[in-house]
Amino acid sequence: MSRLLVPGSLRLRFLLAISLWVVLGIGAIWFSATGIFTKHIEASYHEELEVHVRELGRLATFGEDGELRLSRPLSDPRYEEPMSGFYWQITADGRKPLRSQSMVIGKLDEQIAHSPEILHTLEKGPSGPAITYGFTRPAPGGGDIHFVIATDQSELDRLISSFTRDLTLWLVGLGALLLATGLAIINFGLYPLDRLSQAIGRLRHGDAYELEGEYPVEIAPLVADLNAYVHQNAEMVAKSRVQAGNLAHSLRTPLAVMTDEAERLGETAAGAESSKVLLDQARAMKQQIEYQLARARFSTGQPYNARRVHLPEVAEPILRAMKRLHPDKRFLLDASQCDSVVLPLDDVDYSELLSILLDNAGKWAKREVRLEFLCDSSSSFTARVTDDGPGMSEQELSHAFEIGSRFDQEKGGSGLGLAIARDIADALGLLLELSNTPAGFAASVCFRSSEINR
Ligand SMILES: Nc1ncnc2c1ncn2[C@@H]1O[C@H](COP(=O)(O)OP(=O)(O)OP(=O)(O)O)[C@@H](O)[C@H]1O
Ligand SMILES: [Mg+2]
């Protein structure tokens, strides 16, 4: 349901449009059905009353005593039931009026019956406003006989309101059914878009190389274009990487020649100063080339085409390599907290990042390097490399990620490791932090996402 209420979503738009359509349709049906029903029920009611007043006229006779009486009761038994709302009355000048048994109290206004034509009006009856019909007929001894028949208006109102209530309930039910089917139609219609968004999710997480699946003709061209774009993009990235690598390589030889020449120049007294400047510049250029070559190796953080990181398997080959590289140091792995985590990252990039941190720790540790995998919470994961070496001062920490920063000239290195590590972390969306802790110097890589699988 929550997906339906996302502001601006297609689902919400369709839902609003369908709701409006259903409300208008149902409203129109309600309005016209009650109007037509009221008209018809009123017409048939009036017809029935007219029939009754005619029947009353036919049944009325004079007894032997000259008084008014009916030859038989009216065919509708409701005229016999006290205060039933159905009444009749016959009056003639100088004679005792005759009234239906239902009319226990009150009387009808005989003035409604003042012509041989049947007339009707709304009058006050014995039990409230009444639809009254009447006509006159000449009495045998002179004067008029007034035939009046009346039915409570409330009877008609009751019929109409009971119909309206039933119709309203039925239409509300129909409206709910239409809305439910409307929702089902929305979901059915938008299902291919849901599949598309899942396919994009798989592509983003590196589970697929392109948008997979069959799509309806309306969106199939879009999917084909997107796939073409994804492939083109991957090819472009790969090509650019090769070109960057080629460029860096092609600069190496001229640079070596220039360095050679500068060194030779430095052997002469006049050229010593210039040689120093040239050598410094050549060193800076060499550093940049190495840096760009290293950068070209990692995958720019694009998750598609990536193989995912399975922990701690990814760490084991790196640790074996580090033990060979720094044989006098102990490398320990602690993955007890999360022994089967899968991260939606490129494992080559992640391994490169861990290698840089473990190599530094191996270089500066006194005896021991510890690699820990910590699952802080369901959406946060940290890899921490701790060594028992001297660590860095605050001043060094603030420059540690700069290209070429080296604070210990005794150990070999080009000062590029941490700069590259920072680039990889940024590209993968990871947080890389260095700190001096009571347990030693620590480099932590933190990953925050709801996409961590355990
Ligand atoms: N674990 C550590 N303990 C103490 N100092 C460190 C540690 N890691 C890095 N450093 C300091 O930070 C500097 C920069 O490290 P970085 O990895 O960038 O370069 P590098 O190790 O000197 O050379 P490279 O990694 O390019 O071979 C190092 O020269 C060192 O002075
Ligand atoms: Mg290093």
Side-chain angles (χ1 to χ4, degrees), residues 329-342:
K329 310 287 161 62
R330 255 189 349 139
F331 284 85
L332 305 173
L333 171 65
D334 181 359
S336 53
Q337 268 198 35
C338 26
D339 50 4
S340 61
V341 170
V342 179

Side-chain angles (χ1 to χ4, degrees), residues 356 359-360 363-364 417-418:
I356 291 171
D359 179 47
N360 281 353
K363 265 155 88 175
W364 279 281
L418 287 177

Side-chain angles (χ1 to χ4, degrees), residues 236-248 296:
M236 222 164 67
V237 170
K239 223 183 272 174
S240 317
R241 223 185 284 169
V242 171
Q243 277 168 358
N246 288 349
L247 178 68

Side-chain angles (χ1 to χ4, degrees), residues 367 418 434:
R367 267 183 302 276
L418 287 177
L434 304 175

